[in-house]
Amino acid sequence: MKERTFCIIKPDAIRNRSEGKIINELLEAGFDILQLRLVRLDRDAAERFYEAHRGKPFWEELIDLMTSGPIIAILLEGENAVAALRKFVGATNPRTAERGTLRRKYGTNTTRNALHAADSLGNAAAEASQFFY
Ligand code: CMP
């Protein structure tokens, strides 16, 4: 079934100039790009986006990363897109992510892991609404 999902290419991947390769991999994997935007998050916007993680040990480091440079927000469509994208992005820690996943290829550590991918249809819609209308 066709679904929409949402991802962010994080500042660490853009700093490494990996965003072109990542977008190409998403296209080659069969995802359609419906909307795409390069933006700089201020602290408020980053905190709003990651509200569910407030207070966790990695919170400050995560907000610092997400405000350290531009991000690319992408609305994607594809077959079972939410689960398919999560699988393609890989585990949070790039070092333990499966071979062939985007985090394994482009991530650095558990915080600087190159991409965020929505974990449910509901979260995908809510997250996308912070960037697209
Ligand atoms: P993301 O999928 O964007 O969701 C929350 C982010 O917090 C995660 O990717 C990582 O960038 C960061 N993070 C850092 N440490 C952890 C951790 N131990 N568990 C989950 N997320 C973490």
Side-chain angles (χ1 to χ4, degrees):
M1 201 182 51
K2 283 243 180 208
E3 277 177 2
R4 290 179 179 192
T5 192
F6 176 78
C7 79
I8 286 179
I9 302 178
K10 296 183 180 183
D12 55 299
I14 295 178
R15 209 167 295 123
N16 293 339
R17 307 182 75 83
S18 298
E19 67 272 38
K21 283 177 267 185
I22 291 171
I23 290 167
N24 194 47
E25 293 219 27
L26 291 170
L27 293 170
E28 300 231 304
F31 295 98
D32 294 328
I33 294 176
L34 301 184
Q35 299 209 59
L36 181 151
R37 226 182 116 198
L38 184 138
V39 299
R40 223 172 219 287
L41 296 180
D42 61 18
R43 202 173 163 94
D44 263 14
E47 291 190 350
R48 208 174 322 121
F49 185 80
Y50 278 120
E51 194 56 44
H53 294 293
R54 187 185 289 276
K56 293 187 182 166
F58 54 84
W59 167 258
E60 283 301 329
E61 201 181 324
L62 175 61
I63 299 303
D64 284 350
L65 168 70
M66 296 306 289
T67 54
S68 69
I71 63 152
I72 297 176
I74 312 176
L75 181 64
L76 295 167
E77 188 172 73
E79 288 296 321
N80 296 310
V82 173
L85 181 66
R86 295 279 293 182
K87 187 165 169 34
F88 191 38
V89 163
T92 305
N93 182 349
R95 295 182 190 115
T96 59
E98 259 186 73
R99 213 175 283 272
T101 61
L102 295 175
R103 281 175 171 160
R104 173 75 170 249
K105 286 191 209 171
Y106 303 108
T108 304
N109 61 35
T110 304
T111 299
R112 290 185 284 140
N113 60 2
L115 291 106
H116 165 79
D119 63 2
S120 68
L121 265 184
N123 281 341
E127 291 171 4
S129 75
Q130 295 182 39
F131 296 92
F132 304 117
Y133 54 87

